[in-house]
Amino acid sequence: NDVANRLKKEMKTRMSHSIAEVYSKYFTIDEVRQLIGFYKTPIGKKLSQSLPEMTPQLYKKGEEIGRSVVEKYIAELDTLDI
């Protein structure tokens, strides 16, 4: 289908540009090349495959720790004149 092909092409182009824009804020071209090289290694491939499953778990752990620490100090924080 022509519309589907054009839509897919435009999405790919726009996403590529957006992702490149974000990466360019944090990495040099050489560092991006190193990242690409890393993701071609066995451990890089394993990380890439594992991240979608790991990410929600890591966010959940961070939330749990954050909540626990804040609850621990909430009474003290309430007494401060901020």
Side-chain angles (χ1 to χ4, degrees):
N1 185 330
D2 184 51
V3 174
N5 288 334
R6 287 185 291 140
L7 180 123
K8 183 178 177 182
K9 182 179 178 183
E10 183 169 346
M11 285 296 294
K12 183 176 180 180
T13 300
R14 288 187 181 203
M15 288 298 294
S16 295
H17 290 299
S18 294
I19 291 168
E21 183 180 326
V22 172
Y23 269 75
S24 71
K25 290 179 183 179
Y26 299 94
F27 301 100
T28 66
I29 295 293
D30 186 56
E31 290 170 331
V32 170
R33 287 185 180 119
Q34 291 177 49
L35 284 170
I36 291 168
F38 168 73
Y39 281 107
K40 290 180 179 179
T41 67
I43 191 66
K45 289 176 184 177
K46 183 175 183 177
L47 177 63
S48 181
Q49 292 170 350
S50 302
L51 274 176
E53 189 174 333
M54 289 173 55
T55 300
Q57 294 175 47
L58 293 168
Y59 277 114
K60 184 178 179 189
K61 293 288 184 188
E63 289 174 355
E64 290 170 357
I65 291 167
R67 189 177 313 108
S68 172
V69 170
V70 169
E71 288 173 356
K72 180 177 177 180
Y73 292 97
I74 197 80
E76 290 179 55
L77 291 170
D78 284 341
T79 64
L80 298 177
D81 290 328
I82 301 176

